[in-house]
Amino acid sequence: MHAGQRRRARILSLVLLAIVATLGVTAPPAAAASWVDYSVPTNGMISIQPGYRQLYIVSPNCSPRLIVKQPNGTTDVLPLNTDLSYYPSLGVSACISVNDVAESTAREATFSWWTANGDIPATVVQPLQVTNVRSTPGNKVINLTWDQPEHSQWVDHYDFYAWQTNTSSGLYGKVGIKTTNSYQMRVPNNGDDWMVRIIPVNIFGQGVRTDVVTSANIAPKAVARVSVYPGDHQLRTIFDPTTPDDAVISGYVLTVTPGNTQMTVGANTRDVTITNGISNNIPYQVSVVAVNAAGSSPVTDSNLATPRSTPSPVRDLNVRATGARGATVNWLAANGDVTKYVVTTSTGLRSEVSANQTSATFGDLLATTTAGSHIIFSVVTVNDYLSSSAATTDSTLSPSAPTNVTLTGGLRSVTARWANPSDLDTPALGYDVELIGANNQVVSHASTSGSDQEITFADLESGQRLRARVTLRTAWGTSPVSTLSPSAMVEDVPEQPQSVVVTQIKSAQPAALVTLGNVTTRGCAVSTWTVTATWNDAHGDSQTVTTTATARQATQTITGFEFGSDVTFQTTASNCWGESSAATSTLHVEEPPDPVTQAHASITVDGHVVVEWTPSDSTSVTQVLVTLLPSNKVVTVSKTTRRVVFTGVALGQTYSASIVARNSFGSSAQVTTNAITSATLPGRVQDLAANVDEATNSATITWGEPAVTGYAVSSYLVTVDDQTPVTLTDTTVTVSGLVAGETHSISVLATNSLGDGPTTSISFGMAAPQVVQPD
């Protein structure tokens, strides 16, 4: 045995001794007298020990050597110990040699004894090992049985070791157990898992270890209670084991009938939902047994339960106040399997109604809450076992706003009307009405009691455009404000007509046209216009004429008064509420004015046309129109104007003017002036030149006519040097008697009917005679 093997053997021996000492187990006495008592053949045997590189070679006759044939064909001869020794632990004497041969090699080799007479096969004992270990649990007892090892005759006893698998404590050791194929191991608790090691032992030591996991237990008691709660295609099974129970349960087996479907769950599972193969509307029962290694409990059956589909929640949940103090909850029926509806309120009220109802009424909710509080209403759909999720709505039950609010104008008043909201099923206690004016300002407010749906606001300012809004009061509070009504006007009689125009009609008989103008009707449309004319006749008596026109007419014609009369016109408008105040207009009835006199036209030196006249004697003249003919240029002047100057006229054109005086009635007779021609003084002569003839001591003076200025040139005035001017009609003249070497000047101007034009001058002279100097 090498050092490592000896060390491991020493450690194992120490552990075993510690276990044996702990449990009070002692080694068996050495009672054998010979090797025959251990079933050892006379010629000896070879015992192969597991886990070590060793053989125990027993030779009672102390044979000198052992022949070992290896599987590879080699042969070894092992010398043996020939000293006979007594082994007190065994009570026998023999030669025992321990050889270092691997177990795997020893199992394959062939052994024989060498003798002088030939080799004798040796008996070989393979490592001892029990097989087919069986464990039967009992109440804190583990009953073990096994199949004995091959060559069981070599088994001297069995050693047992055990420890709990889930803890390092709980060690168990028993050695030297004289048994054949069974052993009962007592443990402190049921249900603990033990690793049990069984080792057969021969006279040389322990054989191969055989381990088995087992536990002590007893069959469990029947499950105390099984309750099944149906769902939608499922069964929820809840069960409880019977207590106390010494058995440790490893699991449960659930059997569903009909269908005989089984389901196994762990020992700690008490609540199981079964869905596989479960149909709605079929009664089911679930049976439960508790199981462990020791067996099964009796069967415990559940109640019968029928799965149902989960009902769907209700839809379109709404609530409204009904009666004096109650409320009604309405909804659309839920789909699916429904038995009833459960309706609750956050104030603690509850109502259950059948599946064919879709509403629930609470008669006096105000007994459990106060007006204005928010109340949560909840409806749950229920069938035999299942409930839907809750549908909820939140409401104060205050009424909705009034609808169809209208406003109608009246005589300095308006009347508001409205309708109750369509969902109002509780008495109206009253209404609050506001009139809204410009800039959304509240103009007036009024409240009513009871259910009247109309109110009139009086003594309002005419012409206002107002709108109305209404709130409703019930026992549950006040509604939101309604939408504003269309606007309406506070009506009245029309305002005083505006822009009434009275004009005299140009006719042979005095007449006036009254243009009715416009009027603010203040709501009610104008139906008629009335015009009353008043004046004093030639005798000083007051006269009156009244005419009436429909609203469609725009003018009225009034006759009957005289030229020169001062007439007063009173115009009023009437609507459904009455007649307006009068708009007053006055008219002096005019006749055409007298014409102007002493009309005369003349021309200024600048060629402007001047028209002059004596004004008309009529005081009614408002303006005078002066028209220049034939250019038809018109100038309007006041009645006192006496003179008009027309500038920019065409030179050489003959003009006259017509003059008309006007008043509000018409025009006077036309007065025409004399005819005149527009002209100015002549201009400068053109191209003035002097052509000197030295042979005759004379010069010819020429010039061109000036530009046209209206009148023709009648003559030219020519001045030579400082001599007396000469009047000519031609445009050339010859000057004689010139003196050589002197300078002369000529001046020429043109003359027409208006006078002399400007002068044009030039200077010229003759050369001095050449003086010849004598040599």
Side-chain angles (χ1 to χ4, degrees), residues 463-718:
Q464 295 183 91
R465 298 205 68 85
L466 303 174
R467 294 181 293 175
R469 61 189 181 195
V470 185
T471 54
L472 165 63
R473 288 178 279 111
T474 69
W476 294 100
T478 302
S479 75
V481 178
S482 71
T483 56
L484 285 169
S485 71
S487 63
M489 178 181 288
V490 179
E491 299 184 1
D492 205 340
V493 298
E495 292 185 357
Q496 185 182 85
Q498 302 294 316
S499 303
V500 176
V501 177
V502 179
T503 57
Q504 185 176 349
I505 299 174
K506 296 181 176 69
S507 62
Q509 298 296 323
L513 179 68
V514 180
T515 302
L516 298 175
N518 56 69
V519 65
T520 301
T521 63
R522 295 201 282 200
C524 191
V526 170
S527 56
T528 58
W529 294 81
T530 301
V531 180
T532 301
T534 305
W535 72 95
N536 292 326
D537 61 16
H539 304 289
D541 296 330
S542 178
Q543 302 294 326
T544 299
V545 174
T546 300
T547 62
T548 300
T550 65
R552 291 172 177 259
Q553 294 177 267
T555 59
Q556 280 284 82
T557 300
I558 301 178
T559 61
F561 33 79
E562 301 169 354
F563 284 123
S565 301
D566 291 318
V567 185
T568 300
F569 297 86
Q570 299 284 333
T571 304
T572 61
S574 298
N575 63 9
C576 60
W577 305 116
E579 188 176 30
S580 71
S581 60
T584 301
S585 305
T586 59
L587 174 67
H588 178 73
V589 182
E590 299 285 354
E591 57 185 343
D594 294 330
V596 301
T597 59
Q598 299 179 4
H600 175 74
S602 61
I603 295 296
T604 67
V605 294
D606 297 325
H608 304 323
V609 177
V610 177
V611 180
E612 296 175 299
W613 66 91
T614 300
S616 169
D617 293 334
S618 300
T619 58
S620 62
V621 174
T622 58
Q623 59 186 207
V624 176
L625 273 66
V626 182
T627 303
L628 182 65
L629 302 174
S631 64
N632 291 322
K633 183 177 182 180
V634 178
V635 175
T636 301
V637 297
S638 68
K639 64 180 180 179
T640 60
T641 302
R642 294 172 175 270
R643 184 173 184 267
V644 170
V645 177
F646 289 95
T647 62
V649 295
L651 295 178
Q653 175 68 47
T654 300
Y655 292 97
S656 64
S658 65
I659 305 171
V660 174
R662 286 185 175 180
N663 63 9
S664 58
F665 178 79
S667 301
S668 68
Q670 179 177 297
V671 175
T672 303
T673 67
N674 56 297
I676 59 168
T677 300
S678 174
T680 61
L681 295 173
R684 294 181 182 276
V685 298
Q686 303 180 43
D687 302 324
L688 178 62
N691 186 13
V692 177
D693 186 354
E694 293 181 355
T696 61
N697 293 326
S698 66
T700 301
I701 309 302
T702 61
W703 60 89
E705 293 184 352
V708 176
T709 59
Y711 288 150
V713 174
S714 57
S715 62
Y716 298 97
L717 193 62
V718 180

Side-chain angles (χ1 to χ4, degrees), residues 266-306:
N268 294 324
T269 302
R270 303 283 193 275
D271 190 335
V272 181
T273 298
I274 304 171
T275 59
N276 187 26
I278 304 301
S279 300
N280 286 338
N281 303 314
I282 296 176
Y284 288 95
Q285 188 175 50
V286 180
S287 302
V288 182
V289 295
V291 295
N292 59 20
S296 302
S297 72
V299 175
T300 301
D301 295 329
S302 73
N303 56 295
L304 286 173
T306 303

Side-chain angles (χ1 to χ4, degrees), residues 410-430:
L411 182 58
R412 291 180 289 279
S413 67
V414 290
T415 298
R417 297 179 180 85
W418 57 89
N420 282 329
S422 59
D423 60 352
L424 183 67
D425 287 333
T426 190
L429 301 182

Side-chain angles (χ1 to χ4, degrees), residues 5-183:
Q5 290 174 324
R6 287 194 295 271
R7 186 164 55 252
R8 288 195 297 273
R10 202 164 43 245
I11 292 171
L12 181 61
S13 298
L14 290 173
V15 171
L16 178 60
L17 289 174
I19 295 173
V20 172
T22 302
L23 301 176
V25 179
T26 59
S34 69
W35 284 111
V36 177
D37 295 330
Y38 289 99
S39 299
V40 176
T42 302
N43 60 347
M45 72 173 188
I46 291 89
S47 177
I48 301 174
Q49 295 302 109
Y52 302 102
R53 296 168 59 86
Q54 68 180 34
L55 298 172
Y56 280 101
I57 306 171
V58 180
S59 176
N61 299 322
C62 295
S63 299
R65 59 184 64 86
L66 178 68
I67 299 173
V68 181
K69 292 184 178 180
Q70 301 292 344
N72 60 5
T74 62
T75 300
D76 294 327
V77 178
L78 301 178
L80 303 176
N81 181 11
T82 58
D83 294 333
L84 186 65
S85 299
Y86 177 74
Y87 294 92
S89 61
L90 301 175
V92 295
S93 297
C95 299
I96 300 177
S97 297
V98 178
N99 293 82
D100 190 9
V101 178
E103 176 191 351
S104 60
T105 302
R107 285 180 179 270
E108 299 294 330
T110 301
F111 298 91
S112 61
W113 302 107
W114 180 90
T115 68
N117 298 322
D119 294 342
I120 300 174
T123 300
V124 179
V125 178
Q126 296 292 338
L128 301 177
Q129 182 178 10
V130 300
T131 57
N132 193 22
V133 179
R134 298 172 295 279
S135 173
T136 304
N139 192 9
K140 299 181 182 178
V141 168
I142 300 173
N143 296 302
L144 299 168
T145 60
W146 56 87
D147 294 343
Q148 294 190 70
E150 185 180 5
H151 303 294
S152 61
Q153 67 272 22
W154 307 119
V155 177
D156 180 72
H157 62 271
Y158 291 92
D159 291 341
F160 293 88
Y161 304 99
W163 59 92
Q164 290 178 260
T165 60
N166 60 348
T167 177
S168 60
S169 63
L171 294 176
Y172 181 96
K174 289 286 187 179
V175 298
I177 303 301
K178 296 293 187 177
T179 184
T180 56
N181 66 342
S182 66
Y183 180 69

